[in-house]
């Protein structure tokens, strides 16, 4: 297989695009495409300040690398979750994010959940009845809340995450399987800002996971290979495997599933109905919008964990 641009040996073949490229041309092509998507979906402009949520994985670190190369004003945010039972997952991810930022002279904000709220994610999950011991839903809630909080407090215009096409197609599959109209309405490359909340964007949403792995590898980015130890057995992984089987038979199936969803939305399918839109109030403690009366789900979680901790000290 030869590179379409220069005829040298190809480093990657993208069957769905009928495009093979050598290392040099691939490292050029992927940021160019990202810049195109950022403009096409009106994600942000060079004048806006972007906060990139980095997990230490290949997608988010590559995203930060790409935005930096494209000349955007992009700082990083790492949320230290305290998932270090068995393997030092959080400690190693944090080290990689710090090394990445330092090598490029970039600003990285770090929020340590245990230090900030007195309990790590596994500890918070123990005081939550919904998760049945699995911390993933608590973890998602905390990450969303903290990303919003930091973006708002530090005055960023946009929050960018490293979700790739495989992530988005799996979420879309789950949302359509259950016809979760409210989620479908919110799913897309851009979630517009609302009072007190920064715009959220996913500049990598049209790249296959394999394309992002190739970019990180060819660019020489050091990232954490391990998945979160709690991800094992997650439904999203099962959906990804199913979509991979489909993709193997029909190259491009994932991309067309996602893009035809975006087109259907543009054409008015899932148009918001009056009664679907909920009235949201500001949480009296943290100020973030919530559909629940009183404290938001995050503040309730923290309150429950701290009252349990006090109870344990007294008891
Ligand atoms: P995940 O939910 O783990 O698939 O991650 C999706 C995206 O969320 C990543 O691409 C990152 O942009 C962001 N993210 C995940 N974990 C963290 C973390 N610990 N700190 C900051 N951002 C994160
Ligand atoms: Fe949050 Fe795994 S439980 S990353
Ligand atoms: Zn080439
Ligand atoms: Zn709150």
């Amino acid at each position: 297989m030869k590179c379409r641009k220069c005829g040298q040996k190809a480093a990657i073949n993208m069957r769905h695009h009928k495009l093979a490229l050598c290392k040099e041309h691939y490292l050029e092509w992927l940021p160019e495409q990202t810049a195109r998507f950022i403009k096409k979906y009106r994600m942000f402009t060079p004048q806006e300040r972007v906060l990139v949520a980095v997990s230490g994985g290949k997608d988010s670190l590559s995203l930060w690398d790409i935005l930096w190369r494209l000349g955007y004003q992009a700082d990083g945010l790492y949320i230290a979750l305290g998932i270090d039972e068995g393997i030092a997952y959080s400690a190693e991810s944090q080290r990689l994010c710090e090394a990445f930022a330092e090598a490029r002279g970039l600003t990285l904000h770090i929020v340590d959940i245990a230090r900030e709220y007195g309990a790590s994610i596994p500890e918070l999950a123990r005081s939550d009845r919904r998760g049945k011991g699995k911390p993933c839903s608590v973890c998602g809630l905390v990450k969303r809340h903290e990303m919003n909080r930091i973006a708002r407090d530090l005055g960023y215009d946009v929050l960018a995450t490293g979700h790739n096409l495989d992530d988005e197609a799996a979420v879309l599959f789950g949302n359509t399987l259950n016809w979760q109209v409210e989620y479908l309405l919110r799913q897309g490359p851009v979630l517009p800002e609302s009072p007190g909340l920064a715009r959220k964007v996913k500049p990598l949403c049209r790249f296959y996971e394999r394309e992002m792995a190739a970019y990180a590898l060819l660019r020489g980015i050091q990232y954490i290979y391990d998945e979160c130890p709690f991800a094992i057995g997650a439904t999203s992984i099962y959906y990804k495997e199913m979509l991979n089987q489909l993709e193997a038979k029909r190259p491009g199936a994932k991309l067309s599933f996602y893009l035809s969803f975006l087109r259907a939305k543009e054409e008015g399918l899932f148009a918001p109905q009056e009664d679907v839109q909920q009235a949201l109030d500001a949480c009296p403690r943290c100020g973030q919008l919530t559909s629940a009366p009183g404290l938001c789900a995050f503040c309730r979680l923290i309150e429950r964990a701290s009252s349990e901790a006090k109870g344990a000290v007294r008891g």
Side-chain angles (χ1 to χ4, degrees):
M1 195 61 73
K2 294 215 160 66
C3 170
R4 185 198 286 175
K5 299 207 173 165
C6 69
Q8 306 265 15
K9 189 170 171 289
I12 183 163
N13 179 23
M14 295 171 282
R15 280 167 70 195
H16 47 278
H17 293 316
K18 297 193 175 56
L19 179 66
L21 292 171
C22 70
K23 173 178 172 179
E24 184 196 332
H25 285 118
Y26 186 65
L27 290 177
E28 247 173 52
W29 177 84
L30 197 123
E32 275 167 18
Q33 291 294 306
T34 313
R36 228 176 50 123
F37 301 149
I38 290 171
K39 292 198 185 92
K40 178 179 166 61
Y41 298 112
R42 298 204 188 90
M43 292 187 180
F44 45 83
T45 65
Q47 287 71 42
E48 291 183 300
R49 291 177 66 226
V50 185
L51 183 64
V52 187
V54 286
S55 64
K58 62 184 184 321
D59 304 299
S60 49
L61 286 180
S62 295
L63 172 61
W64 199 7
D65 173 89
I66 293 165
L67 296 185
W68 168 64
R69 283 172 197 279
L70 292 172
Y72 286 106
Q73 306 180 50
D75 295 345
L77 166 66
Y78 176 75
I79 304 170
L81 305 165
I83 301 178
D84 289 308
E85 296 165 21
I87 59 162
Y89 174 72
S90 291
E92 181 61 4
S93 326
Q94 178 168 342
R95 188 187 69 74
L96 290 164
C97 291
E98 285 173 331
F100 178 97
E102 199 180 313
R104 290 161 181 78
L106 293 169
T107 303
L108 174 67
H109 306 287
I110 296 177
V111 176
D112 187 323
I113 297 301
R115 202 171 305 151
E116 202 79 30
Y117 300 103
S120 68
I121 292 294
E123 287 164 351
L124 285 174
R126 268 173 228 135
S127 67
D128 182 85
R129 273 155 266 123
R130 291 169 307 168
K132 298 184 201 79
K134 269 243 176 198
C136 303
S137 73
V138 161
C139 179
L141 172 70
V142 171
K143 281 195 285 202
R144 272 193 307 280
H145 187 277
E146 293 301 282
M147 286 178 197
N148 282 326
R149 180 175 72 86
I150 302 296
R152 178 193 66 190
D153 288 0
L154 302 182
Y156 286 93
D157 301 291
V158 195
L159 179 78
T161 52
H163 293 94
N164 60 37
L165 177 63
D166 292 50
D167 298 325
E168 291 303 290
V171 169
L172 178 58
F173 189 68
N175 286 347
T176 45
L177 206 55
N178 304 303
W179 286 109
Q180 283 166 311
V181 175
E182 267 181 66
Y183 291 158
L184 288 165
L185 272 170
R186 290 165 57 85
Q187 194 184 351
V190 179
L191 188 63
E193 52 269 62
S194 50
L197 290 185
R199 190 181 325 142
K200 285 188 186 153
V201 299
K202 298 169 184 168
L204 306 180
C205 65
R206 291 179 57 156
F207 295 116
Y208 281 81
E209 166 155 20
R210 171 176 164 268
E211 291 165 354
M212 293 320 302
Y215 182 84
L217 199 78
L218 294 173
R219 184 60 85 195
I221 293 171
Q222 306 277 316
Y223 64 89
I224 187 151
Y225 293 103
D226 294 306
E227 287 267 2
C228 165
F230 296 113
I232 299 163
T235 319
S236 60
I237 295 189
Y238 174 60
Y239 290 162
K240 281 184 182 176
E241 285 166 4
M242 289 184 41
L243 291 168
N244 283 343
Q245 286 184 21
L246 188 64
E247 182 78 24
K249 289 243 160 60
R250 281 179 46 202
K254 268 184 236 179
L255 187 59
S256 89
F257 178 46
Y258 185 62
L259 292 184
S260 29
F261 160 68
L262 294 185
R263 207 173 314 119
K265 251 174 87 153
E266 251 173 48
E267 288 169 2
L269 186 68
F270 315 120
Q273 291 169 349
E274 295 282 330
D275 54 345
V276 173
Q277 282 182 324
Q278 282 179 314
L280 298 175
D281 289 319
C283 166
R285 183 166 306 163
C286 71
Q288 290 195 17
L289 294 182
T290 166
S291 54
L295 294 183
C296 74
F298 174 84
C299 291
R300 270 184 282 137
L301 172 75
I302 299 298
E303 186 159 278
R304 196 157 56 233
S306 70
S307 63
E308 274 179 20
K310 278 192 209 118
V313 169
R314 260 189 250 115

